[in-house]
Amino acid sequence: MRRLIEAKVESTLDATLGACRPVTTQMISEEEAHDVALVFHALSDPVRLRIFSIIAAEGEVCSCNLEVPVGKSQPTVSHHTRILAGAGLIAREKRGRWTYWRVIRARLDQVTGLLGE
Amino acid sequence: MRRLIEAKVESTLDATLGACRPVTTQMISEEEAHDVALVFHALSDPVRLRIFSIIAAEGEVCSCNLEVPVGKSQPTVSHHTRILAGAGLIAREKRGRWTYWRVIRARLDQVTGLLGE
DNA sequence: GCCTCAGATTGATATCCATCAATGTTAAGG
DNA sequence: CCTTAACATTGATGGATATCAATCTGAGGC
């Protein structure tokens, strides 16, 4: 996947008199934009950010231990973990009656790699 | 600002029998979560991602050169640049009748610093 | 089999958001 | 001033979303 932030190499040298020069750089494709937007959208909600930060910090957390810290109902927490998982940011593992979550580091690295280095 | 992703140092050693241990790590604050969510929300739309990638790649772009590449109307482009600017990701500079945009690298670095290293 | 509990799903609701037509604003050129 | 051109703002609208009560599902324990 291309870098999202990438300095342009060849600077167009037309004089730029009385008008601004048009864009010449190839931009991110629409499919790529959709995939990346999926990840950012998953992280664009304060509650999901807090859930994600807990999972990342703890290494492994079960859903039952998320409701209290974030102060949301069980269906709401389930809704948010579902979105985070759909974006490929966390992975579910069922053990007995409990559902454990952990972050998928590779997906995170993919996004940070897109933004900068 | 604290790191969003931070491995826990002290692993709680209670036996975890028949139940999952509760969360012990301090999570990201609500105000912090709101600020970070603001940035991610700005990047959570495919159109905004494309606009942002163009600005980042060109170094400097005026609004009039954004409508065609992203295929949206002038008010829509204005709406999106406003949101990106509100998140602190791009900065406006007016020269004559034109509005030029450039990315604010510091804000971007702040986000990447939060995610990984 | 039955009860209990963790969590997923559904339905309803209030809010937010992306989009664009229409209009307002501001700066340059005459 | 008057016109034109570049943006911003407003209003309207269709679609997405965050939230939770209620309900369904599935795994243990008895």
Side-chain angles (χ1 to χ4, degrees):
Chain A
M1 193 184 276
R2 274 188 61 249
R3 286 272 302 281
L4 183 60
I5 307 306
E6 189 158 10
K8 207 170 138 190
V9 190
E10 14 71 56
S11 66
T12 45
L13 290 176
D14 53 319
T16 319
L17 304 169
C20 39
R21 61 173 166 70
V23 167
T24 61
T25 309
Q26 198 83 0
M27 71 182 141
I28 195 175
S29 75
E30 229 174 303
E31 310 85 61
E32 222 172 343
H34 259 91
D35 179 63
V36 180
L38 195 72
V39 177
F40 285 130
H41 172 258
L43 295 174
S44 72
D45 182 272
V47 175
R48 279 197 293 273
L49 265 181
R50 302 186 93 189
I51 289 178
F52 186 73
S53 76
I54 293 175
I55 297 174
E58 295 283 329
E60 190 177 68
V61 187
C62 94
S63 293
C64 65
N65 283 327
L66 289 174
E67 305 173 24
V68 172
V70 302
K72 298 291 173 185
S73 70
Q74 178 267 317
T76 298
V77 169
S78 180
H79 165 73
H80 287 306
T81 50
R82 176 193 178 88
I83 289 179
L84 284 168
L89 284 169
I90 60 175
R92 170 193 282 112
E93 186 193 345
K94 261 207 127 163
R95 290 208 295 271
R97 278 182 296 198
W98 294 279
T99 300
Y100 291 88
W101 299 99
R102 58 173 60 249
V103 316
I104 304 178
R105 182 71 62 161
R107 181 65 160 167
L108 201 61
D109 293 343
Q110 177 189 351
V111 177
T112 55
L114 259 182
L115 283 184
E117 83 269 34
Chain B
M1 192 183 276
R2 273 188 61 249
R3 285 271 303 281
L4 184 60
I5 306 306
E6 189 159 9
K8 207 170 139 190
V9 189
E10 13 71 56
S11 66
T12 46
L13 289 176
D14 53 319
T16 319
L17 303 169
C20 37
R21 60 173 167 71
V23 167
T24 61
T25 308
Q26 198 82 359
M27 72 182 139
I28 195 175
S29 75
E30 228 175 302
E31 312 85 60
E32 223 173 342
H34 259 92
D35 179 64
V36 180
L38 195 72
V39 177
F40 285 132
H41 171 258
L43 295 174
S44 72
D45 181 272
V47 175
R48 280 198 291 273
L49 265 181
R50 301 185 94 188
I51 289 178
F52 186 73
S53 76
I54 292 175
I55 297 174
E58 295 283 330
E60 191 177 67
V61 187
C62 92
S63 293
C64 64
N65 282 326
L66 289 174
E67 305 173 24
V68 172
V70 302
K72 297 292 173 185
S73 71
Q74 178 266 317
T76 298
V77 169
S78 180
H79 166 73
H80 286 308
T81 50
R82 177 193 177 88
I83 290 179
L84 285 168
L89 284 169
I90 60 176
R92 170 194 281 111
E93 186 193 344
K94 262 207 126 164
R95 289 207 296 271
R97 278 181 296 197
W98 294 280
T99 300
Y100 290 88
W101 298 100
R102 60 172 59 248
V103 316
I104 303 177
R105 182 71 62 162
R107 180 68 159 166
L108 200 62
D109 293 343
Q110 178 189 352
V111 178
T112 55
L114 260 182
L115 282 184
E117 80 271 36

